[in-house]
Amino acid sequence: AIIKNIFIAEGRAVVQVGDKVSKGQELISPILYDTNGEILATTVPKGRVYGSVVFNASKTIAHRQTLWVDTGNKKTRTSLKIFGMEFGKNEKPPYEHYRKIETKGWLFGKSFLPIAYTQTTYFEQKQTMQENDIEAQKEETIAQLQEYLLLKANGNVTNVSSDVREIIGGYRIDVFVEAYLLLNG
């Protein structure tokens, strides 16, 4: 943060307008000195120090992204559990890459015969590359980062800017929000 205004009611400012400060740094000292540098008195520091704080956030977007999509092939397997013993449960999945949906239930109702079933449907998947709509993603990303930072700035915004740079494989987007905030409150 950069100090913009200092208002002291009691104590002594240990920073000046224009100084760069960090979170937790002492801004108002309780110790008062005379002209010879001797301690004159101590007090409870009171006052307000305002500064310009810059919040920033970054995100990288790629020209292409890898997606897993269904190939159209599917296989369904059913396993049974009778009196605590399982049949057909430990079979190896039919595909190297897959997503699955499981359905569980009871064959004849839980009270008549305790036969539980699990039906698992495997959907084969393959990896594919998809080109991203970079221009739309840039705008959406800037809007999302700005919204996030505006909340952090608590409505006291003095400046908003963004920087979009092309990097290998995509873009890096940086958004900056500058706010005028009370630093010692």
Side-chain angles (χ1 to χ4, degrees):
I2 306 290
I3 302 297
K4 296 295 183 182
N5 290 306
I6 303 171
F7 304 99
I8 303 293
E10 292 185 38
R12 177 183 52 83
V14 294
V15 294
Q16 298 176 40
V17 171
D19 285 355
K20 184 175 182 179
V21 296
S22 302
K23 187 173 186 172
Q25 183 175 336
E26 183 180 46
L27 304 174
I28 303 173
S29 173
I31 302 170
L32 300 174
Y33 297 94
D34 64 17
T35 54
N36 297 324
E38 300 290 322
I39 296 176
L40 184 64
T42 58
T43 184
V44 176
K46 292 182 184 171
R48 294 182 184 263
V49 180
Y50 292 90
S52 176
V53 178
V54 176
F55 298 94
N56 69 307
S58 301
K59 185 175 180 182
T60 301
I61 54 175
H63 289 294
R64 292 176 211 68
Q65 66 181 4
T66 303
L67 300 174
W68 286 96
V69 295
D70 290 349
T71 65
N73 296 330
K74 73 176 184 176
K75 290 189 178 176
T76 301
R77 295 194 175 153
T78 303
S79 63
L80 299 174
K81 187 174 184 179
I82 305 168
F83 298 111
M85 295 174 34
E86 293 191 53
F87 301 94
K89 183 73 173 169
N90 296 325
E91 292 184 32
K92 183 180 174 190
Y95 307 112
E96 183 179 359
H97 301 286
Y98 61 90
R99 69 178 175 90
K100 68 180 182 178
I101 297 175
E102 284 189 347
T103 305
K104 296 182 178 198
W106 298 92
L107 285 182
F108 304 107
K110 195 173 182 178
S111 60
F112 180 65
L113 271 177
I115 302 175
Y117 72 89
T118 302
Q119 190 172 53
T120 307
T121 302
Y122 295 89
F123 299 89
E124 183 181 38
Q125 293 199 310
K126 68 177 180 179
Q127 202 173 28
T128 185
M129 295 294 282
Q130 175 183 314
E131 294 291 324
N132 288 325
D133 181 354
I134 292 294
E135 293 307 314
Q137 271 197 321
K138 281 189 218 177
E139 291 176 21
E140 182 181 331
T141 299
I142 289 170
Q144 288 172 349
L145 293 176
Q146 281 180 352
E147 181 180 351
Y148 167 72
L149 293 175
L150 289 170
L151 288 172
K152 285 184 78 170
N154 202 19
N156 301 305
V157 175
T158 58
N159 188 30
V160 177
S161 63
S162 60
D163 180 40
V164 178
R165 287 178 281 143
E166 190 163 11
I167 59 173
I168 296 173
Y171 289 89
R172 177 184 165 102
I173 299 173
D174 294 292
V175 174
F176 305 92
V177 171
E178 186 176 354
Y180 181 77
L181 299 173
L182 176 63
L183 300 178
N184 66 328

